[in-house]
Amino acid sequence: MTVTIPVSGGEFRPYDVVVGRGLLAGLGAHVAPLARGRTVVVTDETVAAHHGPAVLAALKAGGVKARLLTVPPGEASKSFAELERVIDRLLAFKLDRSDLIVALGGGVVGDLAGLAAALFMRGIDFVQVPTTLLAQVDSSVGGKTAIDTPRGKNLVGAFHQPRLVVADIDVLATLPERQLKSGWAEVLKHGLICDRAFFDWLAGEGAKGADGDPEALQRAVVRSVEIKSAIVGEDEKEAGRRALLNLGHTFGHAIEAELDFDEDKLTHGEAVALGCAMAYRYSAAQGLCPAEEAERVEAVIAACGLPTRLKTVGSFKASALVARMAGDKKAEGGRLTLILARSIGDAFTARDVDARALTAFLEAEGAR
Ligand code: GLY
């Protein structure tokens, strides 16, 4: 069954996230009402090989004449050079402000195409068609678009909400297992933030989703999008509650950065999973959350085949991790801010985190 989740807030035009099976085949009908002129499908070479011709045919069947614009797969495409190339192609195709971009792919394509849409002619409409679990439950919803610079990830970007998100569960069947599990980390994160009953389901019957069961995946995507859409609707620009979506990310980002963002060593989702386990253990160590809750979080994450212990992913200096965490762009004025938890389903923003306590914690976790 197809489920439609509305995303609405005070400051942006409401849009729908449509989640279901076999949606790519009917993409034309979803996109047609938004396609007033030309449509360009931005995708990467890997996704183009899997879905490019089928998506163009589906759009054509709905009366939408579209062409493909492909970028190389991988994080390196989130660059000024690739952004410039995409915008140059849009100009060469003679798009104007009434035209439409469709971002077909994972987080890299969504972030890059979304930023191109935000900048092109001061902003044109775009549709997200996420093809990874991580993009379906997180990056395609909420309007964050960005590229990286040599000084850090996602440092240049814009809030530009899509007009529509179409998440086809069936496309997840072609995802490598490691990528599916990485997306599952963001699913678990949503339960941990604010929905204990969802986390309980993910820990039990729902765990089939992490192994690719489409029905469990659909329920997990729908609930994740509902949670994210409620948070974004309340706080689009991350002035408050939206920061909760960074649970696990400040620990995780520091660890990823120390590993030079080498996805062979640690994917983003694996870093988030490890970061969530560490955030709960730190919360427990600070007396903010019962130790049994942190133990349960670790057990559930580990059962999905995701990392929970720092020592298993590399060797780290505590001071280097703390420096990264303090320099995280989410840190305000150098203060250390972390998303911590009182229990499963009850995360909160902790400001002025004590760097010495954090260093001692990281050393207890196995950092030097
Ligand atoms: N990925 C976190 C957010 O969209 O705010």
Side-chain angles (χ1 to χ4, degrees):
M1 196 185 70
T2 299
V3 179
T4 299
I5 302 134
V7 188
S8 62
E11 290 182 19
F12 61 88
R13 183 161 33 184
Y15 57 95
D16 286 338
V17 181
V18 185
V19 184
R21 300 193 57 187
L23 295 183
L24 281 196
L27 192 62
H30 289 289
V31 171
L34 301 169
R36 291 171 289 162
R38 276 162 285 226
T39 297
V40 173
V41 179
V42 180
T43 189
D44 71 29
E45 288 148 10
T46 310
V47 177
H50 275 117
H51 305 297
V55 162
L56 289 183
L59 289 171
K60 195 171 172 199
V64 180
K65 204 161 169 284
R67 64 194 301 170
L68 280 189
L69 196 175
T70 53
V71 301
E75 187 75 23
S77 282
K78 283 178 60 173
S79 65
F80 272 114
E82 204 53 41
L83 177 67
E84 185 178 2
R85 197 184 70 84
V86 168
I87 288 178
D88 181 65
R89 296 321 298 153
L90 300 178
L91 290 168
F93 296 158
K94 301 203 181 315
L95 259 66
D96 64 35
R97 294 201 62 199
S98 65
D99 295 327
L100 182 71
I101 290 177
V102 174
L104 172 72
V108 168
V109 164
D111 281 9
L112 175 67
L115 184 56
L119 295 174
F120 186 78
M121 307 267 170
R122 298 198 180 87
I124 64 171
D125 288 347
F126 84 117
V127 172
Q128 289 268 23
V129 184
T131 59
T132 64
L133 180 58
L134 194 141
Q136 292 191 352
V137 299
D138 186 24
S139 58
S140 68
V141 180
K144 280 189 180 176
T145 73
I147 55 169
D148 307 330
T149 87
R151 292 184 188 276
K153 280 196 166 198
N154 295 326
L155 293 181
V156 176
F159 286 98
H160 187 56
Q161 300 289 343
R163 293 294 312 279
L164 172 73
V165 181
V166 180
D168 183 346
I169 299 299
D170 286 346
V171 304
L172 304 179
T174 56
L175 268 192
E177 188 190 342
R178 194 170 174 199
Q179 269 205 47
L180 189 75
K181 292 208 183 289
S182 295
W184 198 253
E186 300 276 5
V187 173
L188 292 169
K189 178 196 82 175
H190 288 119
L192 290 173
I193 291 170
C194 61
D195 190 343
R196 189 180 187 99
F198 180 44
F199 188 82
D200 288 345
W201 178 77
L202 292 168
E205 199 198 332
K208 290 183 288 191
D211 295 321
D213 178 82
E215 277 173 29
L217 273 170
Q218 170 149 347
R219 192 164 155 190
V221 172
V222 166
R223 186 63 196 133
S224 290
V225 171
E226 284 172 350
I227 289 169
K228 181 152 188 187
S229 114
I231 291 174
V232 168
E234 219 177 281
D235 175 27
E236 182 196 12
K237 302 274 168 70
E238 202 170 305
R241 192 166 159 71
R242 185 163 181 169
L244 296 180
L245 295 170
N246 298 324
L247 175 65
H249 282 63
T250 305
F251 282 109
H253 191 266
I255 296 163
E256 282 180 284
E258 285 296 293
L259 294 172
D260 295 324
F261 296 101
D262 182 343
E263 292 254 326
D264 290 335
K265 290 187 183 146
L266 192 72
T267 66
H268 175 66
E270 288 163 353
V272 169
L274 173 56
C276 286
M278 291 174 75
Y280 270 81
R281 280 199 296 276
Y282 184 70
S283 303
Q286 295 300 301
L288 301 164
C289 157
E292 309 83 71
E293 294 279 277
E295 283 159 20
R296 177 151 186 253
V297 170
E298 175 170 1
V300 172
I301 293 173
C304 301
L306 288 161
T308 58
R309 290 282 166 177
L310 192 58
K311 286 174 292 204
T312 64
V313 302
S315 168
F316 302 91
K317 272 179 85 171
S319 57
L321 289 173
V322 172
R324 298 261 190 204
M325 291 167 83
D328 191 300
K329 72 179 187 303
K330 289 148 207 137
E332 293 160 19
R335 290 186 302 163
L336 233 152
T337 299
L338 278 180
I339 309 304
L340 299 178
R342 297 183 194 90
S343 64
I344 291 167
D346 187 6
F348 67 96
T349 302
R351 299 187 201 284
D352 283 326
V353 170
D354 179 10
R356 274 169 309 177
L358 189 58
T359 305
F361 167 76
L362 290 167
E363 285 168 356
E365 291 274 304
R368 285 172 281 134

